[in-house]
Amino acid sequence: MTKKPTKTASRPAARTGRRKPPLSAAKRPAAPSERDAAERVARALETIASHLSAASPASSAADSLGHADAFVWHPDGRLAPVPRVSRVEIGLLKGIDRMRDILIENTERFANGLPANNALLWGARGMGKSSLVKAAHASINMDRRPADRLKLIEIHREDIESLPALMDLLRGSHFHFIVFCDDLSFDGNDASYKSLKAVLEGGIEGRPDNVILYATSNRRHLLAREMIENERSTAINPGEAVEEKVSLSDRFGLWLGFHRCSQDEYLAMVKGYCSHFRIKLAEEELEREALEWSTTRGSRSGRVAWQFTQELAGRLGVRLSAT
């Protein structure tokens, strides 16, 4: 008789136990905050990943410096190695002996850790300005150990604004670098020259000790004549306006001028190429054809001599092996 109440009492307890899930359901509003926390964590991880990916090109570029002697700089932070540089042997560069000796001496001092100047090679088209830079680089590296080899990095004219980023990348390296810009000039309202001025001299950080800049240009002051005249005619103080832009070339400590070659120098270039590549033709006929070629081109230069050599070699069936 007394056991029945006990059974009835246990039933409500069981019902109470079955009612617990609704209580846990009442805690569900906390779920959105958990989702918010998860989203914040995900966003934080994405931010970290983006920073790591942004830093990776620079680190990989710095690590690749020992893999080649020449590179092309890209403004996204990449240094693309150049396995084979298009260059002319230094012995084939005729008519520029004085400029050659000065640039090689300056480059050798720099490669040995001694003070050296940034160099501006300016003057006539096709006279071997860029060829001399590449040939000097190869000449300096000829007898050097891999750890002591000089690196050549080409930066394109349109990427000059990224030059400070390149300086930051090279600053901590144990290698020495020639940063080379071919056909450097500025037109109109182009203000990118200010990045170059800050790197050459005048910036807080300045140029790293292990970097030197070589540039070629057809213009002595890197600016078009009409650009200088326009600054002089429109500025409130014409002298100051022109001085600001002309001062860019003054920051190159070494100026090397290249002028049009004489007929004898032009023929010496042609004969040098023909001798090097074993192109056989009677001397009188060679001179006559070379002069006729230069007349049709309207100029005499190392580039014209090379173009004639290519024409002659192709006609005679001689292969020009890469140097």
Coordinates of all heavy atoms in Angstrom, one line a residue, residues 170-222:
L170 N 67.7 45.9 -50.9 CA 69.2 45.6 -51.1 C 70.0 46.0 -49.9 O 71.1 45.6 -49.7 CB 69.7 46.3 -52.3 CG 68.9 46.0 -53.6 CD1 69.5 46.8 -54.8 CD2 68.9 44.5 -53.9
R171 N 69.5 46.9 -49.1 CA 70.3 47.5 -48.0 C 70.9 46.5 -47.1 O 72.1 46.7 -46.6 CB 69.4 48.5 -47.2 CG 70.1 49.4 -46.3 CD 69.2 50.3 -45.6 NE 68.4 51.1 -46.5 CZ 68.8 52.3 -47.0 NH1 69.9 52.8 -46.6 NH2 68.0 52.9 -47.8
G172 N 70.2 45.4 -46.8 CA 70.7 44.4 -45.8 C 71.5 43.3 -46.4 O 72.0 42.4 -45.7
S173 N 71.8 43.3 -47.7 CA 72.5 42.2 -48.3 C 74.0 42.4 -48.2 O 74.5 43.5 -48.2 CB 72.1 42.1 -49.8 OG 72.8 41.1 -50.5
H174 N 74.7 41.3 -48.3 CA 76.2 41.4 -48.2 C 76.8 41.6 -49.6 O 78.0 41.8 -49.8 CB 76.8 40.2 -47.6 CG 76.6 38.9 -48.4 ND1 75.5 38.2 -48.4 CD2 77.5 38.3 -49.3 CE1 75.7 37.1 -49.2 NE2 76.8 37.2 -49.8
F175 N 75.9 41.5 -50.7 CA 76.4 41.7 -52.0 C 76.5 43.2 -52.4 O 75.9 44.0 -51.7 CB 75.5 41.0 -53.1 CG 75.5 39.5 -53.1 CD1 74.4 38.8 -52.6 CD2 76.6 38.8 -53.5 CE1 74.5 37.4 -52.6 CE2 76.7 37.5 -53.6 CZ 75.6 36.7 -53.1
H176 N 77.2 43.5 -53.4 CA 77.3 44.9 -53.9 C 76.5 44.9 -55.2 O 76.5 43.9 -56.0 CB 78.7 45.3 -54.2 CG 79.4 45.7 -52.9 ND1 79.8 44.8 -51.9 CD2 79.8 46.9 -52.5 CE1 80.4 45.5 -51.0 NE2 80.4 46.8 -51.2
F177 N 75.8 46.0 -55.5 CA 74.8 46.1 -56.6 C 75.0 47.3 -57.4 O 75.2 48.4 -56.9 CB 73.4 46.1 -56.1 CG 73.0 44.9 -55.2 CD1 73.2 45.0 -53.8 CD2 72.5 43.7 -55.7 CE1 72.8 43.9 -53.0 CE2 72.2 42.7 -54.9 CZ 72.3 42.8 -53.6
I178 N 75.0 47.1 -58.8 CA 74.8 48.2 -59.7 C 73.3 48.2 -60.1 O 72.8 47.3 -60.7 CB 75.7 48.0 -61.0 CG1 77.1 47.9 -60.6 CG2 75.4 49.1 -62.0 CD1 78.0 47.6 -61.8
V179 N 72.7 49.3 -59.7 CA 71.3 49.5 -60.2 C 71.3 50.3 -61.5 O 71.8 51.5 -61.5 CB 70.4 50.2 -59.1 CG1 69.0 50.5 -59.6 CG2 70.3 49.3 -57.9
F180 N 70.9 49.8 -62.5 CA 71.1 50.3 -63.9 C 69.7 50.7 -64.5 O 68.8 49.9 -64.5 CB 71.8 49.3 -64.7 CG 71.9 49.6 -66.2 CD1 72.3 50.8 -66.6 CD2 71.4 48.7 -67.1 CE1 72.4 51.1 -68.0 CE2 71.5 48.9 -68.5 CZ 72.0 50.2 -68.9
C181 N 69.6 51.9 -65.0 CA 68.4 52.4 -65.7 C 68.9 52.9 -67.1 O 69.7 53.8 -67.2 CB 67.7 53.5 -64.9 SG 66.2 54.0 -65.7
D182 N 68.4 52.2 -68.1 CA 68.7 52.6 -69.5 C 67.7 53.6 -70.0 O 66.5 53.5 -69.8 CB 68.7 51.3 -70.3 CG 69.3 51.5 -71.7 OD1 70.1 52.5 -71.8 OD2 69.0 50.8 -72.6
D183 N 68.3 54.6 -70.8 CA 67.5 55.6 -71.5 C 66.6 56.4 -70.5 O 65.4 56.5 -70.6 CB 66.6 54.9 -72.5 CG 66.1 55.9 -73.5 OD1 66.6 57.0 -73.6 OD2 65.1 55.6 -74.2
L184 N 67.2 56.9 -69.4 CA 66.6 57.6 -68.4 C 66.3 59.1 -68.9 O 67.3 59.8 -69.3 CB 67.4 57.6 -67.1 CG 66.8 58.4 -65.9 CD1 65.5 57.8 -65.5 CD2 67.8 58.4 -64.8
S185 N 65.1 59.5 -68.8 CA 64.8 60.9 -69.1 C 63.4 61.2 -68.6 O 62.6 60.3 -68.2 CB 64.8 61.2 -70.6 OG 63.8 60.4 -71.3
F186 N 63.0 62.5 -68.5 CA 61.8 62.9 -67.9 C 61.1 64.0 -68.8 O 61.8 64.8 -69.3 CB 62.0 63.5 -66.5 CG 62.6 62.5 -65.5 CD1 63.9 62.5 -65.3 CD2 61.8 61.6 -64.9 CE1 64.5 61.5 -64.5 CE2 62.4 60.6 -64.0 CZ 63.7 60.6 -63.8
D187 N 59.8 63.9 -68.9 CA 59.1 64.8 -69.8 C 57.9 65.4 -69.0 O 57.4 64.8 -68.1 CB 58.5 64.1 -71.0 CG 59.7 63.6 -71.9 OD1 60.4 64.4 -72.4 OD2 59.8 62.4 -72.1
G188 N 57.5 66.6 -69.5 CA 56.2 67.2 -69.1 C 56.2 67.4 -67.6 O 57.1 67.9 -66.9
N189 N 55.1 66.9 -67.0 CA 54.8 67.1 -65.5 C 55.2 65.9 -64.7 O 54.7 65.6 -63.6 CB 53.4 67.4 -65.3 CG 52.9 68.7 -65.9 OD1 53.7 69.7 -65.8 ND2 51.7 68.8 -66.4
D190 N 56.1 65.1 -65.3 CA 56.6 63.8 -64.6 C 57.3 64.2 -63.4 O 58.4 64.9 -63.4 CB 57.5 63.1 -65.6 CG 57.8 61.7 -65.1 OD1 57.5 61.4 -63.9 OD2 58.3 60.9 -65.8
A191 N 56.8 63.8 -62.2 CA 57.4 64.1 -60.9 C 58.2 62.9 -60.3 O 58.7 63.0 -59.2 CB 56.3 64.6 -59.9
S192 N 58.3 61.8 -61.1 CA 58.9 60.6 -60.5 C 60.4 60.9 -60.3 O 61.1 60.1 -59.6 CB 58.7 59.4 -61.4 OG 59.2 59.7 -62.7
Y193 N 61.0 61.9 -61.0 CA 62.4 62.2 -60.8 C 62.7 62.5 -59.3 O 63.9 62.4 -58.9 CB 62.8 63.4 -61.7 CG 62.3 64.7 -61.3 CD1 63.1 65.5 -60.5 CD2 61.1 65.2 -61.7 CE1 62.6 66.8 -60.1 CE2 60.6 66.4 -61.3 CZ 61.4 67.2 -60.5 OH 60.9 68.4 -60.2
K194 N 61.7 62.9 -58.6 CA 62.0 63.3 -57.2 C 62.4 62.0 -56.3 O 63.2 62.1 -55.4 CB 60.8 63.9 -56.5 CG 60.5 65.3 -57.2 CD 59.3 66.0 -56.5 CE 59.0 67.4 -57.2 NZ 57.9 68.0 -56.6
S195 N 61.8 60.9 -56.7 CA 62.2 59.6 -56.0 C 63.7 59.3 -56.3 O 64.4 58.9 -55.4 CB 61.4 58.4 -56.5 OG 60.0 58.7 -56.3
L196 N 64.1 59.6 -57.5 CA 65.5 59.4 -57.9 C 66.4 60.3 -57.1 O 67.5 60.0 -56.6 CB 65.7 59.5 -59.4 CG 67.1 59.2 -59.9 CD1 67.6 57.9 -59.5 CD2 67.1 59.4 -61.4
K197 N 66.0 61.6 -57.0 CA 66.8 62.6 -56.3 C 67.0 62.2 -54.9 O 68.1 62.3 -54.3 CB 66.2 64.0 -56.4 CG 66.3 64.6 -57.8 CD 65.6 66.0 -57.8 CE 66.2 67.0 -56.9 NZ 65.6 68.3 -57.0
A198 N 66.0 61.7 -54.2 CA 66.1 61.4 -52.8 C 67.0 60.2 -52.6 O 67.7 60.2 -51.6 CB 64.7 61.0 -52.3
V199 N 67.0 59.3 -53.5 CA 67.9 58.1 -53.4 C 69.4 58.5 -53.7 O 70.3 58.1 -53.0 CB 67.5 57.0 -54.3 CG1 68.5 55.9 -54.4 CG2 66.2 56.4 -53.9
L200 N 69.6 59.3 -54.7 CA 70.9 59.7 -55.0 C 71.6 60.5 -53.9 O 72.7 60.2 -53.5 CB 70.9 60.6 -56.3 CG 70.6 59.8 -57.6 CD1 70.4 60.8 -58.8 CD2 71.7 58.8 -57.9
E201 N 70.9 61.5 -53.5 CA 71.4 62.3 -52.3 C 70.3 63.1 -51.8 O 69.4 63.5 -52.5 CB 72.5 63.3 -52.8 CG 73.9 62.7 -53.1 CD 74.9 63.7 -53.6 OE1 74.7 64.9 -53.3 OE2 75.8 63.3 -54.3
G202 N 70.4 63.4 -50.5 CA 69.4 64.3 -49.9 C 68.3 63.7 -49.1 O 67.7 64.4 -48.3
G203 N 68.0 62.4 -49.3 CA 67.0 61.7 -48.5 C 67.6 61.4 -47.1 O 68.8 61.4 -46.9
I204 N 66.7 61.1 -46.2 CA 67.1 60.7 -44.8 C 68.0 59.5 -44.8 O 69.0 59.5 -44.2 CB 65.9 60.6 -43.9 CG1 65.1 61.9 -43.8 CG2 66.3 60.0 -42.5 CD1 63.9 61.8 -42.9
E205 N 67.5 58.5 -45.5 CA 68.3 57.2 -45.6 C 69.4 57.3 -46.6 O 70.5 56.8 -46.4 CB 67.3 56.0 -45.9 CG 66.4 55.6 -44.8 CD 65.6 54.4 -45.1 OE1 65.0 54.4 -46.2 OE2 65.6 53.5 -44.3
G206 N 69.1 57.9 -47.7 CA 70.1 58.0 -48.8 C 70.4 56.7 -49.5 O 69.6 55.7 -49.3
R207 N 71.4 56.6 -50.2 CA 71.8 55.4 -51.0 C 72.5 54.5 -50.1 O 73.5 54.9 -49.4 CB 72.6 55.8 -52.2 CG 73.2 54.6 -52.9 CD 73.9 55.1 -54.2 NE 74.9 56.0 -54.0 CZ 76.2 55.7 -53.8 NH1 76.6 54.4 -53.8 NH2 77.1 56.6 -53.6
P208 N 72.2 53.2 -50.0 CA 72.9 52.2 -49.2 C 74.4 52.2 -49.7 O 74.7 52.4 -50.9 CB 72.2 50.9 -49.5 CG 70.8 51.3 -50.0 CD 71.0 52.6 -50.7
D209 N 75.3 51.8 -48.8 CA 76.7 51.7 -49.1 C 77.0 50.6 -50.2 O 78.0 50.7 -50.8 CB 77.5 51.5 -47.9 CG 77.5 52.7 -46.9 OD1 77.2 53.8 -47.4 OD2 77.7 52.5 -45.7
N210 N 76.1 49.6 -50.2 CA 76.4 48.5 -51.2 C 75.7 48.7 -52.5 O 75.5 47.7 -53.2 CB 76.0 47.2 -50.5 CG 74.5 47.1 -50.2 OD1 73.9 48.1 -50.0 ND2 74.0 45.9 -50.1
V211 N 75.2 49.9 -52.8 CA 74.5 50.1 -54.0 C 75.0 51.3 -54.7 O 75.4 52.3 -54.1 CB 73.0 50.4 -53.8 CG1 72.2 50.7 -55.1 CG2 72.3 49.2 -53.1
I212 N 75.2 51.2 -56.1 CA 75.6 52.3 -56.9 C 74.6 52.4 -58.1 O 74.1 51.4 -58.5 CB 77.1 52.2 -57.4 CG1 77.7 53.5 -57.8 CG2 77.2 51.1 -58.5 CD1 79.2 53.4 -58.0
L213 N 74.4 53.6 -58.6 CA 73.4 53.8 -59.7 C 74.2 54.2 -60.9 O 74.9 55.2 -60.9 CB 72.4 54.8 -59.3 CG 71.3 54.4 -58.3 CD1 71.7 54.8 -56.9 CD2 70.0 54.9 -58.7
Y214 N 73.9 53.5 -62.0 CA 74.4 53.9 -63.3 C 73.2 54.1 -64.2 O 72.3 53.3 -64.3 CB 75.2 52.7 -63.9 CG 76.6 52.6 -63.4 CD1 77.5 51.6 -63.7 CD2 77.1 53.5 -62.4 CE1 78.7 51.4 -63.2 CE2 78.4 53.4 -61.9 CZ 79.2 52.3 -62.3 OH 80.4 52.2 -61.7
A215 N 73.2 55.2 -65.0 CA 72.1 55.5 -65.9 C 72.6 56.0 -67.2 O 73.7 56.6 -67.3 CB 71.2 56.6 -65.2
T216 N 71.9 55.7 -68.3 CA 72.2 56.2 -69.6 C 71.1 57.1 -70.1 O 69.9 56.9 -69.7 CB 72.4 55.0 -70.6 OG1 71.2 54.4 -70.9 CG2 73.4 54.0 -70.1
S217 N 71.5 58.1 -70.9 CA 70.5 59.0 -71.4 C 71.0 59.7 -72.6 O 72.2 59.9 -72.7 CB 70.1 60.0 -70.3 OG 69.1 61.0 -70.8
N218 N 70.1 60.1 -73.5 CA 70.5 60.9 -74.6 C 70.6 62.4 -74.2 O 71.1 63.2 -75.0 CB 69.5 60.7 -75.8 CG 69.5 59.3 -76.3 OD1 70.5 58.6 -76.3 ND2 68.4 58.9 -76.9
R219 N 70.1 62.7 -73.0 CA 70.1 64.1 -72.6 C 71.0 64.3 -71.4 O 71.0 63.5 -70.4 CB 68.7 64.4 -72.1 CG 67.6 64.3 -73.2 CD 66.2 64.3 -72.7 NE 65.2 64.1 -73.7 CZ 63.9 64.0 -73.5 NH1 63.5 63.9 -72.2 NH2 63.1 63.9 -74.4
R220 N 71.8 65.3 -71.5 CA 72.8 65.6 -70.4 C 72.1 65.9 -69.1 O 72.6 65.5 -68.1 CB 73.7 66.8 -70.9 CG 74.8 67.1 -69.9 CD 75.7 68.2 -70.4 NE 76.8 68.4 -69.5 CZ 77.7 69.3 -69.7 NH1 77.7 70.0 -70.9 NH2 78.7 69.5 -68.9
H221 N 71.0 66.6 -69.1 CA 70.3 67.0 -67.9 C 69.1 66.1 -67.7 O 68.3 66.5 -66.8 CB 70.0 68.5 -67.9 CG 71.2 69.4 -67.8 ND1 72.0 69.4 -66.8 CD2 71.7 70.2 -68.7 CE1 73.0 70.3 -67.0 NE2 72.8 70.8 -68.2
L222 N 68.9 65.1 -68.4 CA 67.8 64.1 -68.3 C 66.4 64.7 -68.6 O 65.4 64.1 -68.4 CB 67.7 63.5 -66.9 CG 69.0 62.9 -66.4 CD1 68.9 62.4 -64.9 CD2 69.4 61.7 -67.3

